[in-house]
Amino acid sequence: MNSLPLLVFIVLIAAMFLMTRSTRKRQQQANQMRNEIQPGNGVRTIGGMYATVKEVSEDTVLLDAGPGVDLLFAKNAIGAVLTDDEYNRIVHGIEHDLKSDSDVVPDDASSLTETDEPADAAAASDDKAVDLGKKDAADDTVGKDAEDKAEEAGTTEANAGEEPKKTDGDSDAK
């Protein structure tokens, strides 16, 4: 008798048992979390809304979502109960764990430069400012190489002012 089909059947039964066991364990943890909700706790609903618990009843929870905004939710709609620090960090942007001696990233890049010389000294130095702006080939007077490249591209000073010819797909509307 071939035992391979029996072995496959046993492995499938064991896999199904393990999957249902882990799902049941997660459901029990979620129910326990929902049953331990107390007024004043910060919560996140399954829809992603953050609020503070105002009242708890058998199957419902009254949430305070803001000044004058009270919402009634089913207990099953509570996705997570948050710690006070986590709730304040997410909702109010308050960080309790910031260290005063840690490196702080500056808001602008001016403090990231390592030179302490003023801008006037940088302008008076031998370094020339690099212009990163886009220039037309006719306006480019840097040297012979730029003129050669412009001629290779087919743009010279003579035809620089001409309007490009239209093709079938072009239109005058901009």
Side-chain angles (χ1 to χ4, degrees):
M1 180 171 161
N2 195 356
S3 63
L4 184 63
L6 182 63
L7 182 64
V8 170
F9 182 70
I10 291 173
V11 168
L12 286 175
I13 296 293
M16 287 176 36
F17 172 74
L18 291 174
M19 285 189 290
T20 58
R21 181 175 166 229
S22 65
T23 303
R24 192 175 326 125
K25 187 182 262 188
R26 272 187 263 129
Q27 287 175 346
Q28 287 175 351
Q29 288 175 345
N31 285 337
Q32 180 182 359
M33 178 264 313
R34 290 180 182 122
N35 289 332
E36 293 176 357
I37 295 174
Q38 298 293 323
N41 287 123
V43 295
R44 181 184 66 236
T45 65
I46 58 174
M49 185 182 73
Y50 293 91
T52 305
V53 176
K54 203 170 187 182
E55 292 178 17
V56 180
S57 67
E58 184 74 25
D59 294 328
T60 60
V61 178
L62 184 66
L63 300 178
D64 181 19
V69 181
D70 293 338
L71 304 168
L72 187 64
F73 275 84
K75 270 190 176 179
N76 291 338
I78 304 299
V81 177
L82 307 172
T83 63
D84 290 337
D85 289 341
E86 185 178 13
Y87 181 77
N88 286 331
R89 180 182 57 82
I90 293 170
V91 175
H92 303 295
I94 300 170
E95 293 283 343
H96 290 289
D97 297 331
L98 289 178
K99 297 177 183 174
S100 61
D101 60 338
S102 65
D103 292 336
V104 178
V105 177
D107 289 339
D108 61 345
S110 63
S111 62
L112 295 176
T113 59
E114 293 185 23
T115 60
D116 292 335
E117 63 185 46
D120 294 337
S125 68
D126 292 334
D127 297 335
K128 293 184 179 179
V130 177
D131 184 17
L132 298 176
K134 192 173 183 180
K135 294 182 179 181
D136 292 328
D139 295 339
D140 196 3
T141 58
V142 174
K144 189 76 171 167
D145 293 335
E147 291 175 10
D148 293 341
K149 288 180 184 177
E151 288 177 2
E152 289 174 8
T155 58
T156 61
E157 290 182 22
N159 66 2
E162 294 179 8
E163 197 171 295
K165 295 182 181 180
K166 292 195 300 186
T167 60
D168 291 338
D170 290 342
S171 67
D172 290 335
K174 289 187 179 183

